[in-house]
């Protein structure tokens, strides 16, 4: 089948799997990063706190020592004061600069012996008079005396400064600055950063991968669906719709349901197509006979018949008969096709079943005086059923016409009209040839006739019951039949009553 619909241009294709995987991976990365930052900062604050503590403890110990002095700090005084208890340790550190002679052996300073802590003492003019190791941060006495964290050559340094006042006179003697080079802190934090980065990326990648695998598995039915559609689309032999179906996965989720629905839709479509083909075949078959008959007569006339008034007369009348058959066939086919659309076009129609039943019954009594018609009407006037008047009439005519057509010696037709709380039932009974059990279902099929030749003789096309059934079903009713061969048949129509407002 060639579709003349233009293909809708699609935006650049991006697989759902990829979207979900990238989306979820990025999501995990973002969440992980936020947590990592929070964790990193709390950890940094905690570590820094500890390092600051060392520096503060060093500075306060030094200041307490120097407070004992009464005049401005000088190298000699400071050294003397700070190194009061040094003995053997001094000798061991002789080769160090004079200014930075060790004082670590002092009991108070032992805990300051950490290699990262540097203590510098300055006089009132801000010149260095003592340094435990080379000062890492420049001292400026005009700066506010404060504690600060400095980044220098990729290292973090904590520096804290304090004034030294004589304990006795409260006179300013100089300044002490303690620096703590946070090497451990830097290494730990760098390591932590690295670990976070590796873990974050690994988590994002793994989530993405897991998501891809999961969606790949979950979306398998969609792939199957696509493959099936593609197969039907590119099908050249025209039998893919009948053969190809979506494989049903064992997942049993919404997508499985979708596949099942899709398959049942394909079945339905295939059914429609087959019905359509069958219909075209049936119609051509039905039309072939009258056309052949007319052609035969015309041939006859064209050769020699036109000069023979008898042949002419007979041929014309036979052809006219066939033409009228064709006309009725076409009319019935139209009726059948319209009967399919009843639900859409006539859903709000209503008819008085009592009145219409009576009317059709009387008409038949008039047309077929040789028949006995019996009416058993349990309905009251104004028993409204949900159906378009002409359609109910058509249904009754089809059934009563058949009852007359297929009656034999006993020319009797019983019509009964009854109701319950929801439905009205119209039954048409005859005492004719009846229908065998195997034919009972088939009589509702289009063009089906139990005895084709006999039915044709009686002007039947095999469409009457098909039309009646479609009409009744279009109004949400039912058409059923009970029949015993050689005894007769009873056709029952059930139609919904109009809701009383
Ligand atoms: P037709 O135009 O041939 O009557 P229908 O669709 O009305 O077509 O009926 C289909 C076939 O069902 C008929 O050909 C006939 O064989 C059978 N049939 C219908 N009504 C009756 C009946 N009342 N008694 C026996 N056979 C019937």
């Amino acid at each position: 089948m060639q579709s003349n619909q233009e293909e809708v241009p699609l935006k650049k294709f991006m697989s759902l799997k990829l979207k979900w995987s990238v989306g979820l991976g990025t999501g995990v990365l973002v969440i992980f990063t936020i947590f990592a930052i929070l964790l990193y900062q709390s950890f940094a604050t905690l570590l820094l706190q500890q390092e600051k503590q060392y520096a503060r403890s060093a500075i306060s110990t030094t200041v307490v020592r120097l407070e004992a002095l009464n005049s401005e700090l000088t190298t000699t005084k400071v050294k003397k004061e700070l190194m009061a208890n040094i003995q053997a340790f001094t000798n061991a550190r002789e080769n160090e600069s004079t200014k930075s002679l060790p004082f670590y052996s002092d009991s108070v300073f032992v805990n300051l012996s950490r290699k990262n802590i540097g203590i510098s003492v300055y006089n009132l003019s801000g010149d260095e008079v003592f340094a435990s190791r080379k000062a890492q941060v420049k001292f400026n006495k005009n700066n506010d005396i404060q504690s600060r964290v400095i980044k220098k050559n990729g290292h973090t340094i904590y520096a804290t400064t304090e004034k030294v006042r004589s304990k006795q006179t409260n006179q300013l003697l100089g300044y002490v600055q303690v620096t703590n080079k946070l090497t451990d802190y830097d290494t730990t934090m760098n390591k932590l950063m690295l670990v976070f980065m590796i873990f974050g990326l690994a988590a994002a990648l793994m989530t993405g991968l897991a998501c891809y695998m999961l969606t790949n598995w979950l979306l398998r039915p969609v792939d199957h669906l696509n493959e099936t559609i593609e197969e039907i689309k590119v099908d050249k032999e025209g039998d893919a719709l009948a053969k190809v179906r979506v494989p049903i996965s064992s997942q049993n989720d919404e997508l499985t349901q979708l596949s099942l629905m899709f398959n049942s839709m394909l079945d339905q479509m295939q059914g429609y197509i087959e019905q359509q083909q069958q219909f075209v075949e049936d119609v051509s078959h039905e039309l072939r006979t009258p056309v052949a008959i007319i052609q035969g007569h015309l041939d006859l006339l064209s050769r020699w018949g036109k000069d023979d008034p008898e042949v002419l007369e007979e041929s014309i009348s036979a052809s006219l008969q066939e033409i009228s058959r064709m006309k009725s066939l076409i009319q019935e086919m139209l009726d059948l096709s319209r009967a399919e659309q009843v639900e859409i076009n006539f859903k709000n129609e209503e008819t008085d079943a009592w009145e219409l039943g009576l009317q059709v019954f009387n008409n038949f009594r008039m047309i077929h005086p040789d028949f006995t018609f019996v009416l058993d009407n349990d309905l009251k006037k104004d028993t409204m059923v949900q159906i378009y008047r002409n359609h109910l009439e058509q249904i009754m005519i089809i059934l009563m016409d058949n009852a007359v057509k297929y009656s034999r010696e006993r020319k009797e037709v019983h019509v009964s009209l009854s109701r319950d709380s929801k439905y009205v039932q119209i039954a048409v009974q005859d005492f004719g040839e009846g229908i065998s059990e195997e034919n009972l279902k088939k009589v509702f099929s289009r063009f089906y006739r139990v005895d084709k030749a006999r039915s044709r003789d009686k002007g039947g096309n095999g469409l009457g019951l098909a039309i009646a059934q479609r009409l009744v079903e279009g109004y949400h009713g039912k058409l059923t039949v009970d029949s015993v061969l050689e005894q007769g048949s009873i056709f029952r129509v059930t139609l919904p009553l109009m809701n009383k407002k």
Side-chain angles (χ1 to χ4, degrees), residues 402 405-406 430 435 443 448-450 455 460-462 464-465 489:
N402 280 349
K405 266 198 300 195
Y406 302 105
D430 65 70
I435 305 162
V443 291
Y448 186 81
R449 281 152 287 185
V450 176
S455 165
N461 293 313
L465 288 179
S489 320

Side-chain angles (χ1 to χ4, degrees), residues 118-301:
I119 299 174
S120 311
V121 182
Y122 302 88
N123 60 18
L124 287 174
S125 21
D127 301 325
E128 187 178 278
V129 291
F130 176 87
S132 69
R133 53 183 69 239
K134 197 170 172 291
Q136 289 149 341
V137 178
K138 251 198 175 156
F139 174 72
N140 182 355
K141 75 180 178 108
N142 297 325
N143 272 357
D144 279 346
I145 304 295
Q146 58 181 322
S147 306
R148 57 201 192 281
V149 178
I150 305 154
K151 283 265 175 202
K152 200 171 154 191
N153 307 331
H155 293 293
T156 316
I157 297 166
Y158 175 68
T160 176
T161 316
E162 238 177 72
K163 286 175 181 168
V164 183
R165 286 178 191 278
S166 161
K167 209 168 188 177
Q168 282 177 357
T169 59
N170 199 31
Q171 181 201 340
L172 188 63
L173 304 178
Y175 308 90
V176 177
Q177 173 171 277
V178 170
T179 55
N180 187 0
K181 193 173 170 197
L182 311 178
T183 338
D184 289 347
Y185 167 86
D186 281 336
T187 341
T188 314
M189 289 327 281
N190 284 344
K191 266 188 198 158
L192 200 65
M193 174 78 87
L194 194 71
V195 167
F196 278 156
M197 265 158 62
I198 291 172
F199 270 93
L201 284 175
L205 271 175
M206 270 156 68
T207 314
L209 202 71
C211 180
Y212 189 85
M213 273 153 52
L214 187 72
T215 44
N216 203 21
W217 179 71
L218 282 176
L219 290 181
R220 245 185 352 198
V222 177
D223 291 338
H224 292 327
L225 218 78
N226 273 334
E227 284 158 18
T228 310
I229 294 173
E230 194 58 29
E231 229 174 299
I232 294 175
K233 219 169 122 186
V234 299
D235 170 48
K236 293 228 162 54
E237 279 141 39
D239 59 354
L241 188 63
K243 283 203 221 141
V244 183
R245 291 293 177 269
V246 184
I248 301 299
S249 69
S250 53
Q251 283 163 232
N252 204 13
D253 51 21
E254 285 88 342
L255 292 178
T256 317
Q257 294 296 321
L258 184 70
S259 305
L260 284 169
M261 299 236 301
F262 187 78
N263 279 350
S264 95
M265 196 187 76
L266 288 183
D267 290 343
Q268 217 173 353
M269 271 167 62
Q270 179 60 20
Y272 287 143
I273 290 172
E274 277 168 12
Q275 258 182 26
Q276 212 60 37
Q277 282 169 345
Q278 186 63 43
F279 188 66
V280 173
E281 266 172 41
D282 291 344
V283 170
S284 345
H285 191 255
E286 291 300 320
L287 287 174
R288 200 176 298 147
T289 319
V291 169
I293 294 173
I294 295 169
Q295 192 183 21
H297 283 294
L298 289 180
D299 270 352
L300 198 71
L301 291 181

Side-chain angles (χ1 to χ4, degrees), residues 379-393:
L379 301 183
K380 290 196 183 90
K381 198 174 165 14
D382 291 331
T383 308
M384 305 310 280
V385 278
Q386 296 179 30
I387 188 166
Y388 174 51
R389 189 188 165 86
N390 290 3
H391 286 158
L392 184 56
E393 189 176 1

